[in-house]
Amino acid sequence: MQNKQELLEKLTGIQSSRKSYYSELIYLVEEMKKKNKQLAVINQLTQIQINATWPQTSIYIATQLSQILLFEHFALTIVKGGILSSYLAKWTGDSWQCHTLTKSVLGEAPLLIEQYHLDLQEVLPEHHATSVPLRSQLNETFGFLTLFRREARQSDRDETDLFQLIASHVGVAVENSLLFQDVNEKIKIEAQLIQSAKMAAIGEMAAGIAHELNSPLTAILGNAQLLMREMTDTPAAPLMKDIYQCGVRCKKIIQNLLTFSRQEEYLFATISIDEVVEDVLGLIGYQLSVSGLTVKREMAHPPLLFHGSRHQIEQIVINLLLNARDALADKEDPQITIRSFQLEEEGRLYIGLSVHDNGSGIAPELLQQIFQPFYSTKEQTKGTGLGLSVSLGIAQAHGGKLFAESEEGCYSLFTLLLPQLAEEESEHGEETDIDRG
Ligand SMILES: Nc1ncnc2c1ncn2[C@@H]1O[C@H](COP(=O)(O)OP(=O)(O)OP(=O)(O)O)[C@@H](O)[C@H]1O
Ligand SMILES: [Mg+2]
């Protein structure tokens, strides 16, 4: 009998009388089941999908953890490049929803946990946060996991150990995802480099061809003009006119290509945007007014100055005005408004010039496409589709921007932003206001 008792104790690890033997055995089996469940969850947590988004990853971890730990909400937080991004998975009663919180931070992840808990008290009042750090293979902390509970329940030692063990496994998976993102980013940059090298090669080739074609084309145009004068009232006159007009179109394409590949020489100087608008309207104002358009000017006073190439900026304004004219064909009360203004964006001062028309407008899905080279909705004889892409290239070469807003059937608004000259560089240091006229 004595031996049997000893044998049972050795087999089960339970040292007790027969009376409490079964209840202890049940407890042990429950404990084993719990441990098994924990192992299964840890195993699942090592299989975080490498290409999942961070909100998806946070919800995945929360779902797994909810099987073995008690909590209301969960957050996966990553600190990278001075930015803390926290993906807060909230249980809404029937599903998890993820909110992203970002903040620029100074310092290392371990020191940020306390501040994070304080910040999150605003988002989740009456919740108590428990965090464990995420460590990389090089033992650097790059983030943390946080559980939010309603009651201030002291976690027992087993639970704390378990949460820490989970963090070490999740850390490896999250680090892999971060590495995957880095590699992906590098592949994208490489692809962009290849693309821009290709574009540069095409630009060089286009510029070469354009130069070659420029001289014979000048001769063709000159001779065509001479012949046109001699041939008035002959049956061949319309044919000659056609030759001349096609020549002009080729010249336009070539000039656009030359600007596109920036092979033309330009002088940079301090220029007032008012003078640019004045010159352009002097050039094409007549063309606009015969189309029945009203051109309104709302220029800032005193005139805003920028540093750049007058010829190139004029080219942008001409492109924008001619596009507006085309969009206004067959419109009732066609109007173009040119406005200049100052704007501060990301701590930099810009001067802005906008061209507004109440014309056909642009569909939202086309707003980016219109800046692509050779994108045009106009008849072949009318548009080359290079106007806006050339204009965008010029704006960017000046350190500026060009963008469009529109409502289809209502209006289009094109805005050109150019870096403003610093006060000491400009002759005017006064305040700027708007002179509507
Ligand atoms: N103000 C505008 N309103 C409506 N659509 C516009 C406007 N400006 C541009 N677009 C659209 O964007 C397209 C591209 O314009 P872009 O100036 O690049 O080329 P284009 O005017 O067709 O030809 P090009 O300027 O080379 O003669 C136009 O064909 C037109 O569909
Ligand atoms: Mg155009």
Side-chain angles (χ1 to χ4, degrees), residues 3-40:
N3 282 347
K4 195 177 171 192
Q5 180 67 27
E6 265 176 32
L7 200 63
L8 272 172
E9 277 177 17
K10 276 187 182 141
L11 275 173
T12 61
I14 299 168
Q15 298 171 355
S16 91
S17 65
R18 180 185 283 237
K19 213 170 157 195
S20 56
Y21 173 76
Y22 287 107
S23 54
E24 274 201 40
L25 191 60
I26 288 167
Y27 170 78
L28 258 188
V29 168
E30 282 308 312
E31 273 298 297
M32 299 261 278
K33 275 191 191 162
K34 206 166 117 188
K35 288 268 186 279
N36 263 347
K37 185 86 209 156
Q38 289 173 357
L39 280 175

Side-chain angles (χ1 to χ4, degrees), residues 299-311:
M299 306 303 281
H301 185 78
L304 301 170
L305 301 178
F306 65 94
H307 189 66
S309 149
R310 175 191 293 266
H311 177 77

Side-chain angles (χ1 to χ4, degrees), residues 109-121 131 144:
L111 308 170
L112 299 170
I113 294 181
E114 251 173 66
Q115 184 57 43
Y116 175 76
H117 286 182
L118 286 176
D119 289 348
L120 262 280
Q121 263 179 6
S131 293
F144 39 92

Side-chain angles (χ1 to χ4, degrees), residues 110-223:
L111 308 170
L112 299 170
I113 294 181
E114 251 173 66
Q115 184 57 43
Y116 175 76
H117 286 182
L118 286 176
D119 289 348
L120 262 280
Q121 263 179 6
E122 280 174 29
V123 186
L124 292 172
E126 293 163 31
H127 281 74
H128 299 270
T130 319
S131 293
V132 282
L134 291 173
R135 291 210 173 83
S136 69
Q137 302 289 311
L138 298 171
N139 210 18
E140 281 162 3
T141 305
F142 61 89
F144 39 92
L145 304 180
T146 312
L147 296 179
F148 296 92
R149 296 190 174 107
R150 211 154 254 159
E151 318 128 38
R153 187 166 63 82
Q154 206 53 27
S155 304
D156 61 41
R157 219 197 130 77
D158 279 356
E159 211 174 83
T160 315
D161 287 350
L162 175 65
F163 196 25
Q164 246 145 21
L165 179 71
I166 287 167
S168 65
H169 284 84
V170 169
V172 175
V174 169
E175 196 187 6
N176 281 343
S177 296
L178 282 168
L179 289 173
F180 177 75
Q181 280 180 358
D182 279 355
V183 171
N184 247 6
E185 197 56 33
K186 289 215 171 88
I187 291 173
K188 261 194 222 151
I189 292 172
E190 204 179 3
Q192 271 170 10
L193 279 176
I194 293 172
Q195 183 64 18
S196 55
K198 252 198 244 169
M199 287 303 282
I202 292 172
E204 219 168 286
M205 199 178 77
I209 296 172
H211 269 301
E212 289 293 319
L213 289 181
N214 214 11
S215 327
L217 200 60
T218 313
I220 292 173
L221 279 173
N223 290 338

Side-chain angles (χ1 to χ4, degrees), residues 319 322-323 326 378 387-388:
N319 276 326
L322 291 181
N323 280 349
D326 294 343
K378 295 170 193 171
L388 285 176

Side-chain angles (χ1 to χ4, degrees), residues 47 50 93 97 111 126 134 141 194 252 256 262 293 305 409 420 424:
Q47 291 167 31
I50 209 162
Q97 277 193 351
L111 308 170
E126 293 163 31
L134 291 173
T141 305
I194 293 172
K252 195 174 158 195
N256 274 336
R262 297 202 198 93
L293 299 173
L305 301 178
Q420 178 162 18
E424 62 270 20

